[in-house]
Amino acid sequence: MKYNNVINILDKLISCKSLTPFDDKCQEYISNFLKDLGFEIEFKKYGDVTNLIARYGSQRPVLAYVGHTDVVPTGDIEKWHSDPFKLTEKDSKLYGRGTSDMKGGIACMLHSIEDFLKHNQNIIGSIVIVLTSDEEGPAVNGIKKLVESGDLSKYDIDMCIVGEPSCKKNIGDTIKNGRRGSLSGALRIQGIQGHIAYPQNAENPIHAFSSTLDKLVSEKYDQGNEYFPPTSFQISNINSGVGATNIIPGELSMDFNFRYSTETTKDELQNKFEKIMQQSGLNYAVNWSHSGDPFLTEKKDLLNACALAIEEELGVTAEISTDGGTSDGRFMAKICDQVIEFGLINESIHKINEHTTSSALDDVTKVYISILNKLLAKK
Ligand SMILES: [Zn+2]
């Protein structure tokens, strides 16, 4: 283990019982660590949630590390083979809740910054750290709030690394450079209920909808692009009928979702869907709910620096990917056009016996240091 301090930092963070939305003094420890390195510290509390913003330097470009100190519940504590709030080494693995998601990532960030500043008295630009204790919960009083309230505006963040566990099997196998958008809808189709023996007196919404359903499913909403697969339309629930075998149902309801690429928009998808429905002549209503725009970071300074750092330090060519669930990157993307996610391995996150390894921590730290050198070191 090259960076012993990473383990010490992680040990301290794991011992804080920061079950979402509570921080349990993680940020106090982190702020003291950063103060010693010359950072200016600001706390923003919203409800139960603690947010920390720290800054070193006053020039552009501004590189931000973003992450969360909260963790998901442990689940049945009896099933853990060690105390989830005590960093425990066993069979070359380091166990504890948050070791991968994402106190381990925070430990790598902190140590990489300490190492970088030790070797670079004068840097180009600034380093900003933004941490919240509300990522694993509703995620309303964390990064979302900091972005929407304007708390982050004065920091002029140019580039942002979200330290979430982005890797699948090996450190360096994946950098995330965006996410798909998500648009959901609840459709209701009105028919006329009746006796199954007298269909002439009824209007069966299942029959009436079947050809339109086929059109909705086979429609090509877009082709995707270099970074995104084609937009996907998926039905999650479809219900009709009252349970009796001699009744033609009077209504059909269907829930569906679009995971969409940057090749289309929420409005375009709604218009396409409504057009198909209008052509059907059915009596229908649809309720839309939109939970996130897609975002994409192109191959510019930050993504290039991260991919090159992984290649140089680990000898691995990273896959650049936009798959997976949502993260706070979607909020940062509203104020910053370069947002990537790179961190530890996500295989054990949210599980019983969550773990990482000291070599994984070492590798992520090496990559973070190399990124800092590429972007902020005076040549
Ligand atoms: Zn996380």
Side-chain angles (χ1 to χ4, degrees), residues 37-103:
L37 296 178
F39 276 74
E40 282 166 40
I41 309 290
E42 193 182 3
F43 283 102
K44 292 276 176 191
K45 282 211 109 188
Y46 290 107
D48 290 335
V49 173
T50 319
N51 300 297
L52 164 72
I53 314 169
R55 178 180 193 139
Y56 182 94
S58 55
Q59 308 290 313
R60 306 278 287 260
V62 179
L63 173 65
Y65 281 97
V66 171
H68 61 91
T69 52
D70 58 329
V71 295
V72 292
T74 58
D76 185 355
I77 214 152
E78 298 296 316
K79 292 190 177 146
W80 284 73
H81 50 54
S82 57
D83 179 352
F85 296 105
K86 188 176 184 313
L87 186 67
T88 305
E89 190 166 2
K90 190 178 177 246
D91 304 329
S92 320
K93 286 183 179 136
L94 294 162
Y95 290 89
R97 176 55 88 220
T99 42
S100 285
D101 186 12
M102 60 160 278
K103 291 176 173 178

Side-chain angles (χ1 to χ4, degrees), residues 68 101-102 135-136 164-165 350:
H68 61 91
D101 186 12
M102 60 160 278
E135 198 276 339
E136 300 290 10
E164 291 278 10
H350 295 209

Side-chain angles (χ1 to χ4, degrees), residues 82-318:
S82 57
D83 179 352
F85 296 105
K86 188 176 184 313
L87 186 67
T88 305
E89 190 166 2
K90 190 178 177 246
D91 304 329
S92 320
K93 286 183 179 136
L94 294 162
Y95 290 89
R97 176 55 88 220
T99 42
S100 285
D101 186 12
M102 60 160 278
K103 291 176 173 178
I106 294 174
C108 297
M109 283 176 194
L110 295 180
H111 186 72
S112 67
I113 291 165
E114 184 183 27
D115 187 273
F116 174 69
L117 292 178
K118 199 159 73 191
H119 295 102
N120 295 274
Q121 242 82 63
N122 294 305
I123 68 167
I124 307 166
S126 313
I127 306 169
V128 167
I129 312 276
V130 188
L131 296 174
T132 182
S133 67
D134 180 27
E135 198 276 339
E136 300 290 10
V140 290
N141 283 326
I143 304 299
K144 182 173 194 274
K145 183 75 109 201
L146 296 179
V147 167
E148 286 172 359
S149 65
D151 289 337
L152 292 176
S153 316
K154 66 176 174 195
Y155 291 92
D156 295 321
I157 296 169
D158 297 298
M159 295 171 276
C160 169
I161 302 174
V162 182
E164 291 278 10
S166 61
C167 297
K168 292 179 182 121
K169 290 269 170 247
N170 299 299
I171 298 296
D173 64 13
T174 314
I175 306 171
K176 294 201 174 156
N177 70 327
R179 285 292 158 92
R180 290 180 293 179
S182 176
L183 171 68
S184 297
L187 174 73
R188 284 181 103 82
I189 294 165
Q190 210 55 55
I192 297 170
Q193 185 174 319
H195 194 296
I196 210 148
Y198 303 95
Q200 66 277 18
N201 299 331
E203 221 175 274
N204 190 326
I206 304 175
H207 296 196
F209 182 50
S210 59
S211 63
T212 307
L213 176 63
D214 184 49
K215 280 189 193 131
L216 290 170
V217 172
S218 52
E219 174 76 24
K220 297 272 173 279
Y221 292 93
D222 64 44
Q223 302 293 329
N225 56 33
E226 186 188 351
Y227 300 104
F228 288 93
T231 289
S232 123
F233 169 76
Q234 292 295 325
I235 295 163
S236 54
N237 291 289
I238 188 158
N239 291 299
S240 188
V242 293
T245 52
N246 60 353
I247 294 176
I248 291 172
E251 204 177 270
L252 179 147
S253 66
M254 179 179 95
D255 300 326
F256 59 93
N257 174 267
F258 288 101
R259 285 296 150 107
Y260 65 99
S261 79
T262 46
E263 292 297 303
T264 184
T265 63
K266 156 187 163 280
D267 291 340
E268 269 178 24
L269 289 171
Q270 288 187 4
N271 289 341
K272 270 190 186 164
F273 184 96
E274 298 265 6
K275 198 173 158 202
I276 293 171
M277 287 308 300
Q278 278 156 15
Q279 283 167 351
S280 74
L282 293 162
N283 180 6
Y284 79 96
V286 58
N287 255 327
W288 294 98
S289 63
H290 183 232
S291 51
D293 288 312
F295 73 90
L296 177 69
T297 291
E298 310 231 11
K299 284 180 182 146
K300 289 200 271 190
D301 297 354
L302 180 61
L303 187 53
N304 291 339
C306 186
L308 188 59
I310 290 168
E311 218 161 292
E312 288 171 357
E313 298 297 325
L314 312 176
V316 173
T317 304

